[in-house]
Amino acid sequence: MEPFVLKNQSFLTIENWVSKYPSLVAGITTNNGGVSKGDYESLNLGFHVGDNQSDVCSNREKVSDLLTFPLKTWVGAEQTHGIHLKKISKHDRGKGSNSYENAIKDTDGFYTNEEGVLLTLCYADCVPLFFIAPESKMIGVAHAGWKGTVGQIAREMIIAWKKEGINPEQILVTIGPSICEKCYIVDKYVINLVENTLEDVEILPYNLIKDGQYSLDLREVNRQILMKSGVPDTNIQLTNFCSSCDKEFFSHRRDKGQTGRMLTFMGWKETM
């Protein structure tokens, strides 16, 4: 069953999570409903891609209104395709929300158990990972391109949560809209790194297309890393949406590098 449901033209939510936990906001934006122009048309939410900053801010204000989650409570990162995580508190609110310059540096994953904070990261083909441990109210998001995937950022989140007293069996994970294996062609160098990451697996997440060219299922690589880290297979759900095939998303591959960014978002609204 597809975990992501289109709520309006501008975003999808992880429906089975948000319906079960009414104060939770969790999902990903589309490329529709904004004011950006040209290569970034229309709901670009990334500051770092060359778009007009005032247009990006307008787009972010629109999403803020749709989610009823104030922009001043958002937290954003200077993403570097690494595996660095940061635990977020209310003191971090506003960092990276309306400017790339004040974003949290060199970070590709956030987690928090505090209310009133919206964790946000940008994407245009890379794999969004959403984490929740409901009993602890811990939530997290991570950005897994091929570098973050083979660096095992998914495993890093599980390790970080173990230090918080959360067992992997308590963690639910949703793997979000990203480039599918049919659209994602890589060379032997990347495949070697994947092989080193996934030793002794039954299902290989890649196929040889022609000499030196392979189709790679990054979502499946992350799923296997999560299972190796102790998360039960039954706790992991995968989307069927492809950022390259489906035109309502931005795609770095499809658009040859000139494109906008979607935004993943996850947060607990403040309760009285």
Side-chain angles (χ1 to χ4, degrees), residues 58-120:
S58 294
N59 291 340
R60 285 174 170 244
E61 287 286 2
K62 171 169 183 177
V63 173
S64 170
D65 291 342
L66 288 171
L67 300 178
T68 59
F69 222 117
L71 190 58
K72 65 183 180 182
T73 66
W74 292 23
V75 178
E78 174 200 66
Q79 298 165 222
T80 57
H81 294 273
I83 59 170
H84 294 146
L85 308 176
K86 180 173 173 60
K87 187 177 183 183
I88 298 299
S89 73
K90 287 185 178 179
H91 297 294
D92 297 304
R93 293 192 298 189
K95 294 177 181 178
S97 64
N98 58 9
S99 165
Y100 193 58
E101 285 67 39
N102 68 354
I104 294 174
K105 305 302 181 190
D106 187 22
T107 302
D108 284 86
F110 291 140
Y111 60 102
T112 190
N113 56 3
E114 295 190 21
E115 296 179 350
V117 179
L118 192 69
L119 310 176
T120 72

Side-chain angles (χ1 to χ4, degrees), residues 18 77 90 100 104-105 124 130 144 180 197 202 204 206-207 213 216 251 272:
V18 299
K90 287 185 178 179
Y100 193 58
I104 294 174
K105 305 302 181 190
F130 299 80
C180 74
T197 302
E202 293 182 11
L204 293 175
Y206 58 86
N207 286 294
Q213 298 278 286
L216 175 61
S251 171
M272 300 300 290

Side-chain angles (χ1 to χ4, degrees), residues 44-217:
N44 169 45
L45 295 162
F47 287 116
H48 63 292
V49 295
D51 194 7
N52 183 294
Q53 179 152 333
S54 64
D55 286 347
V56 180
C57 286
S58 294
N59 291 340
R60 285 174 170 244
E61 287 286 2
K62 171 169 183 177
V63 173
S64 170
D65 291 342
L66 288 171
L67 300 178
T68 59
F69 222 117
L71 190 58
K72 65 183 180 182
T73 66
W74 292 23
V75 178
E78 174 200 66
Q79 298 165 222
T80 57
H81 294 273
I83 59 170
H84 294 146
L85 308 176
K86 180 173 173 60
K87 187 177 183 183
I88 298 299
S89 73
K90 287 185 178 179
H91 297 294
D92 297 304
R93 293 192 298 189
K95 294 177 181 178
S97 64
N98 58 9
S99 165
Y100 193 58
E101 285 67 39
N102 68 354
I104 294 174
K105 305 302 181 190
D106 187 22
T107 302
D108 284 86
F110 291 140
Y111 60 102
T112 190
N113 56 3
E114 295 190 21
E115 296 179 350
V117 179
L118 192 69
L119 310 176
T120 72
L121 294 170
C122 288
Y123 299 79
D125 283 339
C126 295
V127 180
L129 303 173
F130 299 80
F131 303 78
I132 185 169
E135 298 88 350
S136 310
K137 290 204 76 172
M138 191 70 80
I139 55 174
V141 291
H143 165 253
W146 73 259
K147 291 180 180 178
T149 296
V150 300
Q152 302 195 60
I153 193 170
R155 178 174 174 267
E156 292 298 314
M157 188 74 78
I158 305 306
I159 291 170
W161 287 23
K162 280 183 180 177
K163 294 176 181 175
E164 298 282 339
I166 301 169
N167 295 323
E169 298 81 14
Q170 299 172 292
I171 302 173
L172 307 176
V173 184
T174 297
I175 299 176
S178 46
I179 195 165
C180 74
E181 67 275 15
K182 293 177 183 176
C183 296
Y184 195 48
I185 310 302
V186 299
D187 59 19
K188 183 62 176 172
Y189 174 76
V190 175
I191 295 302
N192 287 340
L193 293 170
V194 171
E195 288 175 334
N196 291 337
T197 302
L198 296 179
E199 296 176 355
D200 304 320
V201 297
E202 293 182 11
I203 303 172
L204 293 175
Y206 58 86
N207 286 294
L208 180 66
I209 302 296
K210 57 183 180 181
D211 189 36
Q213 298 278 286
Y214 299 79
S215 64
L216 175 61
D217 188 345

Side-chain angles (χ1 to χ4, degrees), residues 31-46:
N31 57 15
N32 295 314
V35 300
S36 292
K37 303 165 188 69
D39 292 333
Y40 314 108
E41 188 177 353
S42 66
L43 191 64
N44 169 45
L45 295 162

